[in-house]
Amino acid sequence: MNMSREEARRAVITGVGLVSPLGQSPAALWEGLRAGRSGVGPVPHVDLAPFRIHHGGAVRDFNPRKLIADGKSLKLMTRPVRLGVAAAELAIADAGLDLAGLEAFRTACFVGSPGHAGDRDELLAATTLAMQSGHLDLQVFGSEGIATINPLWLLKSLANIVLYFVSLKLGAQGVNANICMSGAGGSMAIGEAFRAIRQDRADVAVAGGYESLLEEERLETFAPSGLLEESEGPPEAASRPFDRRRRGFVAAEGGAFLVLEERERALARGARIYGEVAGYGMASPGGFKRPCETAGAFLAAMQAALGDARCDAWELDAIFAYGLATDHSDRVEAEALKQLLTARAAYVPITAIKSMTGNLLAGSGPLEVIAACGAFAPQGDAVPAILNCEEPDPDLGLDYVRGGPRQGEFRRVLLNAGSLAGNVASLVIERPS
């Protein structure tokens, strides 16, 4: 059954939570973005000496014991998982939900996850013990080494462990999904939560994503890709989306989650509303050859999101671009934006906050949604500038926000997120009405 926008159930954002390179609260994030402050710098918890990167977007002063209610559960969490659970708990608290009053089968949870998140350091004692004459002796590993491994190691490495902790806290037994889709995963989680509410499969949903690229195993995985920024220059100048001197994305970490709620329910309980999710679309380039991202995938995802929101490109007031800061990705996204906006290309402000945070992968999309909500806030009405975008490239006549925040009345924004395999997820977020 086709329903008009007015007749359809609507999903509003009533809670936000984040732990990021620009702080651990919406106010800190918005203030940092308005000030054009970079969150890229030293990485206290990782020795970067063995790697070719020299800085990252680290979450500093992170104290999970202050942010995660059940301290006993910390022994089951690696650092990335703690980042995700902390962000989700902050969002739930921010929404002011009465957890005891939630209907279990109408409460949903969607998580953008990096997948396997095991701590390999816990295996080192066992493998060291089993090394015989330079070779791993599996018999010694099985008979003696395994006894040295934390028996909870496998549980800590499960891909859906954040989904478990968040749904447990909520008592959620409704629709749910753990989405392992790299940098698109967090935005896809929000999109699926939005659909669940609109299609009357849920009344409340927690959705978001988390990741840490600032772990030894992840850095070793990405090092051969050629995608990471490896300059020894000033950290604050490292991330340069849409700038001619971009050199790759800055490795970062963090988590960001939203509470989505059916609009009438939120209004009835007097909830604060940050914004409304109005549309969601996604697309795939349909192949695995690198570079995978295509202008067609970006364009298809954006058009799908606008169609879902029942609006046209000319109704957009700003765009939060994927802005990965790799040569190919920025080029194809810019081409798609030019095709989407046509004659309005010079009049729609485009920003990219990875210039200040680095790339949180699955955490980036949700963090950028929270950033967009800052443009709707009473003290907001401004879209942050792209840091380090000094010589725009490709120069297609697009209106990149540079030099300082762009003031204005922002009612509707579009956001792009992408996976390193080329999948693109787009969201349309609107000012609360």
Side-chain angles (χ1 to χ4, degrees):
M1 179 178 65
N2 292 324
M3 293 186 291
S4 70
R5 174 75 184 280
E6 290 71 24
E7 294 171 323
R9 285 165 53 90
R10 296 162 66 177
V12 295
I13 301 166
T14 59
V16 297
L18 62 109
V19 285
S20 81
L22 283 178
Q24 300 175 34
S25 71
L29 174 68
W30 297 336
E31 191 278 328
L33 292 173
R34 286 194 295 270
R37 184 168 60 251
S38 175
V40 179
V43 181
H45 69 280
V46 178
D47 178 11
L48 296 180
F51 305 100
R52 288 170 22 181
I53 73 165
H54 307 279
H55 36 243
V59 177
R60 297 168 184 86
D61 302 318
F62 176 57
N63 187 342
R65 293 189 178 278
K66 290 186 177 181
L67 301 176
I68 297 173
D70 182 6
K72 294 180 180 179
S73 66
L74 293 173
K75 63 184 178 182
L76 285 172
M77 300 181 190
T78 59
R79 180 179 174 90
V81 170
R82 291 176 177 184
L83 294 170
V85 173
E89 291 208 10
L90 286 168
I92 293 167
D94 185 57
L97 293 174
D98 174 12
L99 300 188
L102 293 178
E103 188 177 346
F105 292 99
R106 301 284 298 175
T107 304
C109 190
F110 297 88
V111 176
S113 160
H116 170 81
D119 185 348
R120 70 175 186 178
D121 288 345
E122 294 189 6
L123 302 179
L124 291 181
T127 53
T128 301
L129 186 66
M131 290 299 293
Q132 305 290 325
S133 302
H135 298 282
L136 181 66
D137 188 322
L138 293 181
Q139 185 172 359
V140 175
F141 182 83
S143 61
E144 302 176 37
I146 285 180
T148 69
I149 298 173
N150 183 342
L152 301 175
W153 180 86
L154 182 60
L155 289 177
K156 293 172 66 173
S157 68
L158 294 176
N160 64 344
I161 193 166
V162 169
L163 178 66
Y164 161 75
F165 281 118
V166 177
S167 58
L168 181 67
K169 181 176 184 66
L170 292 168
Q173 300 180 50
V175 289
N176 66 87
N178 190 70
I179 302 171
C180 300
M181 195 60 77
S182 181
S187 292
M188 291 173 64
I190 294 170
E192 294 303 321
F194 157 66
R195 285 181 173 172
I197 290 173
R198 189 168 68 174
Q199 295 168 2
D200 201 14
R201 293 182 290 133
D203 298 319
V204 177
V206 173
Y210 70 100
E211 173 65 287
S212 177
L213 286 173
L214 299 175
E215 301 285 317
E216 288 89 344
E217 186 174 0
R218 298 292 276 160
L219 289 173
E220 288 170 357
T221 299
F222 277 91
S225 71
L227 298 173
L228 290 178
E229 193 276 343
E230 298 174 349
S231 167
E232 295 189 34
E236 62 273 12
S239 187
R240 312 183 71 91
F242 301 111
D243 182 76
R244 184 178 63 82
R245 291 175 291 171
R246 60 188 178 271
R247 297 178 296 267
F249 68 79
V250 170
E253 64 176 359
F257 277 78
L258 313 177
V259 173
L260 300 187
E261 201 166 341
E262 194 277 320
R263 182 174 181 271
E264 297 307 314
R265 182 189 193 279
L267 292 174
R269 72 178 185 89
R272 172 180 50 191
I273 296 177
Y274 289 94
E276 178 175 347
V277 182
Y280 166 53
M282 64 171 298
S284 168
F288 294 97
K289 293 182 180 179
R290 293 186 59 208
C292 300
E293 295 148 326
T294 67
F298 274 104
L299 183 61
M302 291 188 291
Q303 290 175 331
L306 289 171
D308 199 32
R310 295 178 174 85
C311 67
D312 296 311
W314 62 266
E315 297 178 85
L316 293 173
D317 296 307
I319 292 173
F320 282 66
Y322 178 39
L324 187 61
T326 66
D327 183 68
H328 176 76
S329 179
D330 283 7
R331 192 166 297 278
V332 298
E333 185 178 16
E335 291 171 359
L337 289 168
K338 176 71 172 179
Q339 293 178 57
L340 180 79
L341 298 172
T342 59
R344 289 201 70 227
Y347 305 103
V348 179
I350 296 170
T351 190
I353 75 166
K354 288 184 183 68
S355 62
M356 287 177 262
T357 65
N359 185 13
L360 286 62
L361 285 183
S364 283
L367 185 70
E368 290 162 18
V369 171
I370 298 173
C373 288
F376 303 148
Q379 72 275 25
D381 285 337
V383 167
I386 305 175
L387 192 63
N388 305 316
C389 187
E390 297 162 357
E391 299 179 61
D393 178 74
D395 189 358
L396 301 177
L398 295 168
D399 182 15
Y400 299 118
V401 181
R402 301 188 296 140
R406 183 72 55 82
Q407 303 293 325
E409 183 179 351
F410 300 97
R411 298 159 298 170
R412 182 179 291 111
V413 301
L414 181 141
L415 303 97
N416 285 334
S419 78
L420 298 179
N423 300 285
V424 179
S426 298
L427 294 165
V428 174
I429 309 294
E430 295 183 354
R431 178 186 289 271
S433 58

